[in-house]
Amino acid sequence: QVQLVESGGGLVQAGGSLRLSCACSGRTFSSNAMAWFRQAPGKEREFVAAINWSGQATRYANSVKGRFTISRDNAKNTVSLQMNSLKPEDTAVYYCAADTKPYISIMKDAYATWGQGTQVTVSK
């Protein structure tokens, strides 16, 4: 069974940091682009960051650029999201997703496999 399992969410004060991890099981995703999306209450799920199959190309939403860093370890079949200088508007459920292709897409419809999500709450 193919699974993506996120961890690392929690409650943090504004200006703080969190590191999210996504563990992939059931198959290897080393040939697939991976991404993080987030969804706040009452809002659409939105793109946060993506990384290509090799880890040599990344892309970020403007709202997180310079604060968040996506990385991957293909040997361990994991993807991470380092989040620094967190703001209250970063509060959301964060989802890990695997693309069907090796190159980056910011469209959620391109991603076929999703984790269950992890809650990130940033207090003022």
Side-chain angles (χ1 to χ4, degrees), residues 19-94:
R19 185 176 181 86
L20 305 183
S21 294
C22 175
C24 312
S25 63
R27 54 159 284 196
T28 178
F29 286 96
S30 59
S31 299
N32 302 80
M34 302 290 294
W36 290 92
F37 287 75
R38 67 186 181 187
Q39 188 167 17
K43 293 189 176 181
E44 294 281 326
R45 190 170 299 190
E46 64 175 5
F47 170 79
V48 175
I51 189 165
N52 77 331
W53 69 277
S54 68
Q56 293 185 334
T58 57
R59 188 164 176 182
Y60 298 92
N62 288 336
S63 58
V64 307
K65 201 173 293 183
R67 299 188 298 122
F68 290 11
T69 302
I70 188 171
S71 60
R72 67 189 298 162
D73 185 335
N74 284 344
K76 296 182 178 179
N77 224 19
T78 59
V79 179
S80 298
L81 185 69
Q82 177 67 42
M83 306 186 296
N84 298 329
S85 302
L86 283 161
K87 304 175 181 180
E89 50 265 43
D90 294 318
T91 295
V93 177
Y94 283 71

Side-chain angles (χ1 to χ4, degrees), residues 10-18 83 86-87 91 120-124:
L11 173 64
V12 64
Q13 287 188 326
S17 298
L18 282 174
M83 306 186 296
L86 283 161
K87 304 175 181 180
T91 295
V120 171
T121 304
V122 184
S123 62
K124 296 180 181 179

